[in-house]
Amino acid sequence: MIGLHDGKGSAAKKPVEKVFSLRLQVVDCTPRIWRRLVVRETMWVTRLHDCIQIAFDWFDYQTHAFVLDNLRFGNPLQREDLAVEDDRDITLTEFAL
């Protein structure tokens, strides 16, 4: 019987990709409004923003920022009192969560 790969051994397996289960909640809202998202660790932060918009049926009317320690990621902005890094340049993996 001829093997699927004709003697080349088994196909290389992709490394298992981690996923994050996120529970998102709108604060100061009654009744509580929340969503659960399961996302890949390799997801771009800007895509996470898009997924949140879809999950809550929002239309991106407000600017956004993801804050980790002293860093902010979102729509790029440089002011004297505030710096927001471009969220299109970073994946969730880079947050080392």
Side-chain angles (χ1 to χ4, degrees), residues 15-63:
V16 176
E17 189 172 8
K18 290 182 186 176
V19 295
F20 297 119
S21 177
L22 306 175
R23 186 177 190 280
L24 309 169
Q25 181 174 325
V26 178
V27 294
D28 298 329
C29 183
T30 304
R32 287 188 180 140
I33 299 173
W34 65 275
R35 304 288 186 270
R36 181 161 319 276
L37 295 178
V38 177
V39 298
R40 293 180 173 149
E41 70 174 346
T42 56
M43 176 180 270
W44 295 99
V45 175
T46 190
R47 291 291 158 242
L48 176 60
H49 169 254
D50 295 339
C51 290
I52 293 169
Q53 295 292 310
I54 292 167
F56 283 99
D57 199 27
W58 291 340
F59 298 101
D60 203 17
Y61 293 138
Q62 301 291 324
T63 59

Side-chain angles (χ1 to χ4, degrees), residues 56-93:
F56 283 99
D57 199 27
W58 291 340
F59 298 101
D60 203 17
Y61 293 138
Q62 301 291 324
T63 59
H64 69 281
F66 294 93
V67 180
L68 183 67
D69 297 327
N70 294 329
L71 297 174
R72 292 177 178 268
F73 298 91
N75 296 329
L77 173 68
Q78 295 293 329
R79 289 194 329 220
E80 188 174 309
D81 60 331
L82 179 67
V84 178
E85 302 298 325
D86 194 344
D87 64 358
R88 296 173 295 182
D89 295 337
I90 189 163
T91 65
L92 296 176
T93 304

